[in-house]
Amino acid sequence: MEILEQKLDNGYEFKVIGRLDASTSNDFEEKVIAAIENGETEIIVNFSELDYISSSGLRVLLVGAKKLKALSGSVTLSGLKKHIKEVFEIAGFTPLFTIIEG
């Protein structure tokens, strides 16, 4: 897994490339928590190059969303491939996030 990060006008973006699973989710969680602790309240996660997400990856997003909700912030997901979006739908996570094309 590779994670690219960049500050945007409307938030902070993580682009996750490869697989987000039990062996990689801790690294992603550390980066998300660090961004929140540094004052970011609008996080965009670009999944356009994500091939697989496990329950561990979903947990990281849920943790981030809960922390941001307490700060009146949010997590936006972008670029979900069909099979990745289906994972979110099956898990019942689609109502928890703003999902955009991109």
Side-chain angles (χ1 to χ4, degrees):
M1 176 190 72
E2 184 178 358
I3 303 169
L4 305 177
E5 301 176 57
Q6 69 176 332
K7 176 75 173 144
L8 303 173
D9 291 338
N10 61 338
Y12 196 82
E13 181 185 53
F14 292 97
K15 184 171 188 176
V16 184
I17 302 167
R19 297 173 56 91
L20 184 52
D21 55 24
S23 65
T24 58
S25 62
N26 286 339
D27 291 339
F28 183 49
E29 183 172 8
E30 288 174 10
K31 291 179 180 292
V32 169
I33 299 302
I36 294 168
E37 288 176 352
N38 286 331
E40 298 297 337
T41 58
E42 298 300 325
I43 292 181
I44 300 129
V45 184
N46 181 333
F47 282 150
S48 63
E49 295 187 49
L50 185 73
D51 298 319
Y52 174 82
I53 188 167
S54 72
S55 59
S56 298
L58 293 174
R59 183 192 61 76
V60 172
L61 294 169
L62 188 59
V63 167
K66 284 184 176 183
K67 287 184 178 297
L68 287 172
K69 185 175 182 182
L71 300 170
S72 298
S74 66
V75 175
T76 299
L77 309 178
S78 73
L80 276 73
K81 295 176 184 174
K82 184 178 178 183
H83 68 281
I84 301 294
K85 189 171 185 179
E86 287 175 355
V87 172
F88 280 86
E89 290 168 351
I90 291 168
F93 275 30
T94 50
L96 305 176
F97 302 96
T98 300
I99 299 175
I100 60 173
E101 300 297 319

